[in-house]
Amino acid sequence: MPIPSTAIVIVNYRTGDLVVDCLDSLVPEVTGRAGARVIIVDNASGDGSASRIAAAIAARGWDAWARVIESPVNGGFGAGCNVGIRAARQSAEPVELVWLLNPDTRVRPGALAAITAFMTANPAVGIVGTMIEEADGAPWPFAFRFPTILGEIERGMRLSPVSRLLARHAVLRRMDDRPKRVDWVSGASMVVRQGVFDTIGLFDEAYFLYYEETDFCRAAQTAGCETWYLPQARIMHIAGQSTGVTSRDAGRRRMPVYWFESRRRYFNKNHGTTYATLADLAWGASHLVWMLRRTLQRLPDPDPPRLLRDFIASASRRSRHARPVGFDTAVTELAVD
């Protein structure tokens, strides 16, 4: 069967050196592979990284399959992805698959071949997520369930008996070495069939960062498109390099405003305001139980500073914000306190 043409979209925000390393890992994947191309969208970095990436592409002879598009504004991750997806769709050669790839990733050998083989053999599959490895090479074998009120209780309380009771509702889902159908996969490495975009549209740009892939996979499932986890395709992810939210020192930084706003938008959009409020109450009460137990048992605190206070503050001001604050402002907030 013919190999489907694939556009790899990477959104850059001040991670120029990481993007170049990611492109280097893609060389054996795309070289000699007809229809494979890479589009880097620079989300108004303002630090010269777009020029550095373009210069590296020219110097290393990657311009046959890679190019940089500079967005005049930083509209967030979903908006940046949409810029790249539209560019791929407007190219002379039709694109069948779009692989969304974080800049802080390295692609392991054979990943693209495993992806295209799986999606060619399974035409009902609309979205695929790959196996993710941590920076030290340790596997991070997880996909996800859609967030629910019960899932928020499990996530907030962190109590083993409760987690066992609510295991089928926990958002985080440990995977084995077999491909499996799941609710949603990480946007750090997510492959989407072009027909899914034709059916449900592009990413919701009202999400600045986080929950946009959850929302997208939910819309795809509603439209009858399957999402699968494919461990045979692997990438290494140096998590949180653009945002600090999931980096190793994230516990010393406050959660940015856009995380709370995106979470609330997801529940409002997909379940309604009453359900969203109940989800807030479920997590808040459960987290209070965890905080009490942590204090009584003198357990270490792995959470970002002022997590509950920021959660309550975000809920109280949500009516005054039509969408999250800008990325630059949010990152400044992280660095200030």
Side-chain angles (χ1 to χ4, degrees), residues 176-239:
D176 56 29
D177 59 357
R178 295 169 295 175
K180 285 187 179 178
R181 187 173 179 179
V182 296
D183 283 350
W184 63 281
V185 293
S186 171
S189 179
M190 183 169 80
V191 185
V192 184
R193 200 181 296 274
Q194 181 59 59
V196 177
F197 295 122
D198 295 337
T199 301
I200 67 172
L202 305 185
F203 284 94
D204 181 350
E205 296 185 11
Y207 293 98
F208 187 79
L209 190 60
Y210 295 98
Y211 284 88
E212 62 279 284
E213 73 264 57
T214 316
D215 182 79
F216 184 84
C217 289
R218 186 177 188 90
Q221 184 185 89
T222 301
C225 302
E226 298 179 7
T227 297
W228 281 66
Y229 170 81
L230 181 65
Q232 286 69 34
R234 298 178 298 118
I235 63 106
M236 184 272 285
H237 186 207
I238 312 172

Side-chain angles (χ1 to χ4, degrees), residues 218-276:
R218 186 177 188 90
Q221 184 185 89
T222 301
C225 302
E226 298 179 7
T227 297
W228 281 66
Y229 170 81
L230 181 65
Q232 286 69 34
R234 298 178 298 118
I235 63 106
M236 184 272 285
H237 186 207
I238 312 172
Q241 295 303 299
S242 294
T243 65
V245 173
T246 53
S247 60
R248 291 188 182 274
D249 65 343
R252 297 192 295 272
R253 304 183 184 187
R254 291 170 67 180
M255 289 292 282
V257 174
Y258 54 74
W259 187 91
F260 298 104
E261 296 287 350
S262 291
R263 176 191 171 278
R264 181 70 186 193
R265 176 171 179 78
Y266 173 83
F267 279 114
N268 271 333
K269 178 180 177 180
N270 292 288
H271 297 287
T273 56
T274 299
Y275 191 100

Side-chain angles (χ1 to χ4, degrees), residues 41-225:
V41 178
D42 182 73
N43 252 2
S45 295
D47 67 342
S49 57
S51 298
R52 293 199 304 275
I53 295 167
I57 289 172
R60 304 188 190 193
W62 297 341
D63 44 358
W65 48 267
R67 63 184 175 119
V68 178
I69 297 175
E70 296 190 49
S71 173
V73 297
N74 181 8
F77 176 74
C81 287
N82 288 347
V83 171
I85 295 164
R86 291 189 186 101
R89 298 175 77 175
Q90 292 168 0
S91 60
E93 183 178 354
V95 170
E96 298 169 75
L97 303 177
V98 175
W99 186 2
L100 305 173
L101 198 59
N102 266 26
D104 52 354
T105 59
R106 308 287 184 278
V107 177
R108 299 308 192 195
L112 182 55
I115 290 165
T116 54
F118 181 80
M119 298 196 79
T120 299
N122 298 276
V125 176
I127 301 171
V128 160
T130 70
M131 159 78 85
I132 293 175
E133 298 175 357
E134 297 189 45
D136 60 3
W140 194 81
F142 294 98
F144 305 92
R145 299 179 182 92
F146 292 128
T148 63
I149 289 174
L150 293 177
E152 292 298 279
I153 293 173
E154 190 278 333
R155 185 174 68 88
M157 198 166 292
R158 308 182 201 182
L159 189 61
S160 295
V162 173
S163 292
R164 286 194 295 269
L165 180 65
L166 300 178
R168 294 179 60 186
H169 303 278
V171 172
L172 198 63
R173 178 181 173 184
R174 178 176 285 274
M175 309 302 292
D176 56 29
D177 59 357
R178 295 169 295 175
K180 285 187 179 178
R181 187 173 179 179
V182 296
D183 283 350
W184 63 281
V185 293
S186 171
S189 179
M190 183 169 80
V191 185
V192 184
R193 200 181 296 274
Q194 181 59 59
V196 177
F197 295 122
D198 295 337
T199 301
I200 67 172
L202 305 185
F203 284 94
D204 181 350
E205 296 185 11
Y207 293 98
F208 187 79
L209 190 60
Y210 295 98
Y211 284 88
E212 62 279 284
E213 73 264 57
T214 316
D215 182 79
F216 184 84
C217 289
R218 186 177 188 90
Q221 184 185 89
T222 301
C225 302

Side-chain angles (χ1 to χ4, degrees), residues 6 14 17 63 70 76 143 179 183 188 201 205 243 288 296 298 300 302 313:
T6 306
R14 300 183 178 181
D17 293 338
D63 44 358
E70 296 190 49
D183 283 350
E205 296 185 11
T243 65
L288 279 173
L296 294 175
R298 298 182 179 180

